[in-house]
Amino acid sequence: MRFELHMRKYSENIKATFFCGIASFLTSGINYITTPIFTRLMSTSEYGLISKYNSVYLIVSVIATLTLSRPGILNVGLYEYKNNRWEYLSIMLGEVLISSIMTFVIITLLWAPFYNLINIPFLFVVLMLVSCAIQPAMTFWTYKQRYEYKWKLTFLISVGTAIIAQAVSIIIVIWFKNNSNYNLGVVRLFSSSVINLIASLIIYIYIVCKGKKFINIKLWKKTLLFALPLIPHYFGFALLTGIDKIMIGFMSGDSKVGIYSLAAVISTVGALLWQALGVSVTPFVYEKLGERKFKKIDSLTKPLLELVGLFCIAVSFFAPEIIAIMGTKEYIDAVYVIPAVTAGTFMHVMYDLFSNVAFFNKKSIYIMFATLVATFTNIVLNCVYIKQCGYIAAGYTTLFSYSVLAFLHYRVSRYLEQEEIFDWKFDVVLSTIVIALCLSSILFYKYSIFRYIIIITIITLVIIRRNKYINAIGEMRI
């Protein structure tokens, strides 16, 4: 009762940010909780197979969904069709369905070269394309709910689905481990995917019933004009996100992919926090860009970037303990990947903020160009340094590539609006501090007391400055 009375004094966007943030952390937290279970049930190669599937899925889904379920396009659609969002989402589901079917047919016809490229079973491709057709419904619904600050049902469904999917997956993996010789990576992937697909299918039917339209050729054409130039962007971004794991698999094997992937999972905490903050940040940024109130954007996003940066630093300094909890001794080398990937996560957050300007102005060419440059940089660096220095180098190449991406989008924002939207001096100083502290954490892994002092200092600083963070979110009303 006391908690409920306490929450009433806050605005809806603060409550939405708080509870959607809790939902994001619980959903991913369930993954964190179950990761130690799976890393002990499965071999590193089986764990790596799941990660490789996810990387290929990111790439295939770009074509299959026409990028319509990606935040950039989706946020623009929710902004422009604010008076009839259900109809817009329903029509987008129709477009995604047709595209997914066409993608499946093309991959089937070209299966031999496709298999030689990715080396995964055909059954995985079936699961991918079914997921591409159905699961965007959950994304569409969730973004609409968050955009409108309707957090209660979003919280229940997202957390509930995650709990059920992980629980079912654990039970089935344990049963198969004790009763058969099946690849447990395959078992885990399909057991959890089925639960997510069932939940998404229910939401899919709900959206179509609310929207009442499934086909609209005129809107499809309009959307395609915006989406098609973004396919190279999202395709490149999927490569930027997943190519490190695919290339590690080729050069070092699935076992190393598993170790690297555990580090990547742990390093996403900062991105999860930013995703939660995005409930308020994204609609606010779009509104203020429309009103050309740029100083408001900069002043209110600064403290939130600071908060994410502190989170990333804390994760880097606490990496040895996290690895000890999350994995077995086979994963111990992952501790040396976490600082670079965590710093890269922060630069991804910077990119995400800056890129809102290009998406708002629908400048697909600029978005595509920046992503392709960063992706090409990442691939070249991976080819050179994974071979020379091993799979740990992939974390550093990813950090550098995300830094390039963030810088290019900052320059694009400056060019498009012909005004300074973001304080570049602040952003450069903050980024430098976060990267330097994250990378330097490796030097102190043997000095636990010093690391704990750093972590306690960060927690204390967040508590002292909590009102500044809360007030920034509270002012992001639209």
Side-chain angles (χ1 to χ4, degrees):
M1 175 68 87
R2 184 176 296 177
F3 176 76
E4 184 178 344
L5 291 173
H6 181 69
M7 289 301 295
R8 283 181 183 175
K9 68 181 182 180
Y10 294 115
S11 62
E12 284 302 310
N13 64 317
I14 291 181
K15 288 188 281 188
T17 302
F18 176 77
F19 283 101
C20 288
I22 294 296
S24 294
F25 277 102
L26 283 177
T27 303
S28 297
I30 293 166
N31 290 329
Y32 288 127
I33 292 169
T34 58
T35 293
I37 298 173
F38 288 119
T39 54
R40 286 162 174 80
L41 288 172
M42 299 185 293
S43 66
T44 53
S45 60
E46 288 171 330
Y47 189 78
L49 179 63
I50 297 172
S51 181
K52 189 161 69 173
Y53 166 88
N54 290 331
S55 297
V56 175
Y57 173 78
L58 282 174
I59 296 169
V60 171
S61 66
V62 171
I63 308 298
T65 66
L66 296 172
T67 75
L68 299 179
S69 61
R70 295 303 197 273
I73 292 179
L74 192 51
N75 283 320
V76 171
L78 291 172
Y79 174 77
E80 289 188 342
Y81 296 90
K82 61 180 69 177
N83 296 324
N84 204 344
R85 287 171 176 157
W86 287 122
E87 183 178 304
Y88 168 77
L89 295 179
S90 180
I91 292 169
M92 292 304 99
L93 285 178
E95 195 166 8
V96 168
L97 177 62
I98 292 175
S99 179
S100 297
I101 293 171
M102 292 176 63
T103 304
F104 178 74
V105 171
I106 292 170
I107 291 177
T108 302
L109 293 174
L110 301 174
W111 174 242
F114 190 81
Y115 175 78
N116 291 331
L117 182 65
I118 62 172
N119 192 28
I120 62 174
F122 182 75
L123 196 59
F124 276 25
V125 175
V126 175
L127 178 63
M128 279 183 197
L129 273 302
V130 172
S131 298
C132 287
I134 303 299
Q135 286 193 186
M138 182 66 79
T139 304
F140 287 177
W141 179 81
T142 301
Y143 267 81
K144 181 182 182 299
Q145 296 295 100
R146 290 180 173 184
Y147 211 96
E148 298 171 354
Y149 305 138
K150 297 176 181 178
W151 50 269
K152 294 180 182 178
L153 195 56
T154 307
F155 180 89
L156 291 174
I157 290 180
S158 60
V159 174
T161 302
I163 291 173
I164 294 171
Q166 293 296 332
V168 169
S169 184
I170 290 171
I171 292 169
I172 294 177
V173 167
I174 291 174
W175 188 91
F176 271 89
K177 184 176 179 66
N178 295 330
N179 295 280
S180 73
N181 294 319
Y182 275 89
N183 185 302
L184 297 180
V186 177
V187 173
R188 190 214 167 177
L189 188 63
F190 275 86
S191 57
S192 60
S193 295
V194 167
I195 302 300
N196 289 320
L197 284 172
I198 291 172
S200 297
L201 183 59
I202 294 171
I203 298 294
Y204 193 108
I205 295 169
Y206 178 79
I207 291 175
V208 173
C209 291
K210 291 284 288 185
K212 297 182 174 62
K213 280 188 179 181
F214 201 60
I215 298 173
N216 185 323
I217 304 298
K218 185 177 179 181
L219 183 54
W220 284 2
K221 287 181 178 178
K222 181 181 178 182
T223 305
L224 279 174
L225 288 174
F226 180 36
L228 285 177
L230 286 174
I231 288 179
H233 157 68
Y234 281 115
F235 189 80
F237 198 79
L239 284 174
L240 182 59
T241 304
I243 195 65
D244 48 359
K245 302 178 188 68
I246 296 173
M247 293 180 74
I248 290 171
F250 273 119
M251 297 181 186
S252 306
D254 286 349
S255 179
K256 299 300 184 184
V257 177
I259 296 171
Y260 183 87
S261 298
L262 179 62
V265 168
I266 293 169
S267 302
T268 57
V269 174
L272 291 175
L273 176 59
W274 183 253
Q275 180 182 333
L277 295 171
V279 175
S280 291
V281 172
T282 303
F284 166 78
V285 170
Y286 273 60
E287 287 290 333
K288 297 309 170 188
L289 284 172
E291 298 170 2
R292 298 191 65 79
K293 295 181 178 179
F294 300 148
K295 289 185 179 180
K296 196 74 171 177
I297 295 174
D298 183 57
S299 63
L300 295 184
T301 54
K302 275 181 179 177
L304 303 185
L305 289 173
E306 174 194 296
L307 178 61
V308 175
L310 290 171
F311 246 76
C312 291
I313 295 167
V315 170
S316 296
F317 275 88
F318 203 55
E321 286 74 17
I322 299 174
I323 289 294
I325 296 169
M326 300 287 283
T328 62
K329 61 181 180 180
E330 294 174 297
Y331 293 88
I332 192 64
D333 285 347
V335 73
Y336 299 107
V337 180
I338 289 177
V341 180
T342 303
T345 297
F346 181 76
M347 296 312 299
H348 178 278
V349 168
M350 298 291 283
Y351 141 77
D352 191 67
L353 176 61
F354 299 157
S355 67
N356 283 317
V357 179
F359 277 106
F360 179 81
N361 287 282
K362 296 184 178 180
K363 297 300 182 181
S364 307
I365 300 299
Y366 295 107
I367 298 168
M368 176 186 69
F369 173 77
T371 303
L372 293 181
V373 169
T375 302
F376 179 76
T377 302
N378 194 34
I379 292 173
V380 171
L381 292 176
N382 278 337
C383 287
V384 174
Y385 290 104
I386 291 177
K387 188 175 293 185
Q388 288 185 0
C389 307
Y391 71 97
I392 291 177
Y396 293 87
T397 61
T398 299
L399 165 60
F400 183 80
S401 301
Y402 277 136
S403 300
V404 170
L405 185 64
F407 171 75
L408 291 175
H409 270 284
Y410 166 77
R411 293 304 305 165
V412 167
S413 71
R414 185 74 176 79
Y415 173 76
L416 290 177
E417 297 296 350
Q418 297 296 307
E419 286 186 44
E420 199 75 70
I421 301 176
F422 307 101
D423 183 347
W424 70 270
K425 291 182 181 179
F426 171 87
D427 295 330
V428 168
V429 170
L430 179 62
S431 300
T432 302
I433 292 172
V434 171
I435 293 172
L437 288 177
C438 285
L439 297 184
S440 66
S441 65
I442 296 176
L443 302 175
F444 303 100
Y445 280 167
K446 293 182 180 180
Y447 307 101
S448 299
I449 294 177
F450 178 81
R451 290 190 296 105
Y452 296 157
I453 291 173
I454 295 293
I455 294 166
I456 292 171
T457 301
I458 290 173
I459 293 171
T460 303
L461 186 60
V462 170
I463 292 172
I464 292 172
R465 294 174 63 81
R466 69 186 184 280
N467 288 333
K468 187 171 184 177
Y469 305 139
I470 293 172
N471 291 338
I473 298 169
E475 291 186 45
M476 290 182 175
R477 299 175 185 175
I478 61 173

